[in-house]
Amino acid sequence: KPTNYITGIFNDINSLLNTYEENKRLKMRLEDFAVLQAEVNTLQSENESLKELVGKEESLADFNPLNATVIARNPDQWEEKIILNKGSSHGVELNMAVMTANGLIGKISLVTPFTSEVELLHTNNPNYRVSAIVQGEKSDIFGLIEGYDVERNELILKRIDSSFKVNVGEQVVTSGLGGVFPKGIPIGEITEVTTDDYGLTKLAYVKPAADFSLLEDVVIAQRTVISVDGSDGGNTNADLTNGTTNETTDEGEE
């Protein structure tokens, strides 16, 4: 009986460990699924549009990825900025989008030869706007990420046409039309929908897809399509000779 009792304890411990490891693997798969689902929805929507076009070679979703590592984070600006180990000598330029495996985290705001600074979506900068799409059941719904609610720890999606129905749980991704961010990068999930102060448009709260508290390895995205003036970028100077762009103002200045 003592032997069976001790054996039972070890079996229970092994079962707990196996359950923990299985839950860990399932959680990772769920995170991968969320990103994959956003990509699938974007591709399905884009495919419908492309049925009427022939010979289209470029897409707003195309970008050249550059892997980078977070090397510093100022305690005074913990929720607003991070420093990466890649700079202009590696091809990094102002206003390039930065993301993790789970979703968008911000854009390049300062570049040196060997490092770069990222302004996160959590910033309090009033001129920081991201052109976004809510992937609805029937059609995509456009809006702008404008601001961050500190108490809710969520992003604020504004300027949604009041005639469209937006549901809790729907995914929000970049639209690619703002001039800075490639199309289809996951931003987050709708948690609440309400109206703005004047009742003319809708406002939604978005739980970020990326975990901003644990940022280590990121991807800097250089768009392959030439950037233009839009809701993401203010005054944009495009070098049409070599196909590169030089963003000269803060993201989202209108």
Side-chain angles (χ1 to χ4, degrees):
K1 289 183 178 180
T3 301
N4 291 334
Y5 177 74
I6 297 298
T7 302
I9 292 177
F10 280 109
N11 288 336
D12 290 341
I13 292 175
N14 287 332
S15 297
L16 287 173
L17 291 174
N18 291 334
T19 302
Y20 172 77
E21 292 297 330
E22 184 178 5
N23 286 341
K24 188 176 180 181
R25 289 194 299 270
L26 289 174
K27 184 178 180 180
M28 294 176 63
R29 291 182 62 183
L30 283 174
E31 291 177 349
D32 292 339
F33 175 78
V35 176
L36 181 60
Q37 186 62 47
E39 293 178 352
V40 169
N41 293 339
T42 299
L43 289 173
Q44 288 178 340
S45 177
E46 189 175 71
N47 186 56
E48 291 297 324
S49 299
L50 292 178
K51 286 181 179 180
E52 300 178 359
L53 298 176
V54 178
K56 184 175 185 293
E57 298 180 355
E58 294 181 327
S59 169
L60 291 176
D62 292 339
F63 64 89
N64 297 319
L66 175 63
N67 295 324
T69 301
V70 178
I71 58 173
R73 197 165 184 174
N74 190 332
D76 296 333
Q77 296 179 310
W78 189 266
E79 298 293 341
E80 296 189 17
K81 296 180 180 180
I82 57 176
I83 306 297
L84 306 181
N85 66 339
K86 297 293 174 64
S88 58
S89 61
H90 306 94
V92 179
E93 298 177 5
L94 286 176
N95 286 331
M96 284 185 174
V98 183
M99 69 190 82
T100 67
N102 295 326
L104 183 70
I105 62 171
K107 71 173 181 74
I108 301 295
S109 59
L110 179 66
V111 181
T112 71
F114 300 104
T115 64
S116 56
E117 182 181 79
V118 179
E119 187 173 13
L120 301 176
L121 293 179
H122 284 182
T123 181
N124 292 319
N125 182 356
N127 294 320
Y128 201 133
R129 301 182 180 93
V130 180
S131 179
I133 290 175
V134 180
Q135 296 179 323
E137 295 180 358
K138 297 182 179 180
S139 62
D140 292 337
I141 302 169
F142 289 88
L144 285 176
I145 295 291
E146 295 186 42
Y148 169 71
D149 191 303
V150 178
E151 294 182 358
R152 297 177 62 108
N153 195 30
E154 293 179 338
L155 303 170
I156 303 174
L157 181 65
K158 299 181 179 181
R159 309 194 193 188
I160 304 171
D161 194 313
S162 58
S163 63
F164 292 107
K165 183 178 180 181
V166 179
N167 301 312
V168 172
E170 290 181 333
Q171 299 298 312
V172 180
V173 301
T174 54
S175 71
L177 300 177
V180 173
F181 300 116
K183 181 180 180 180
I185 302 176
I187 295 177
E189 179 181 304
I190 300 289
T191 61
E192 182 182 346
V193 182
T194 182
T195 57
D196 66 5
D197 295 336
Y198 303 99
L200 300 177
T201 59
K202 291 182 179 179
L203 178 151
Y205 291 96
V206 180
K207 180 181 178 181
D211 185 354
F212 288 81
S213 62
L214 297 173
L215 296 175
E216 295 180 355
D217 299 315
V218 301
V219 175
I220 303 172
Q222 180 180 22
R223 289 185 60 165
T224 58
V225 177
I226 295 176
S227 299
V228 296
D229 225 1
S231 60
D232 284 341
N235 298 324
T236 304
N237 296 325
D239 184 350
L240 301 181
T241 303
N242 55 23
T244 61
T245 59
N246 179 27
E247 303 286 355
T248 57
T249 63
D250 286 341
E251 158 75 17
E253 289 186 4
E254 294 187 336

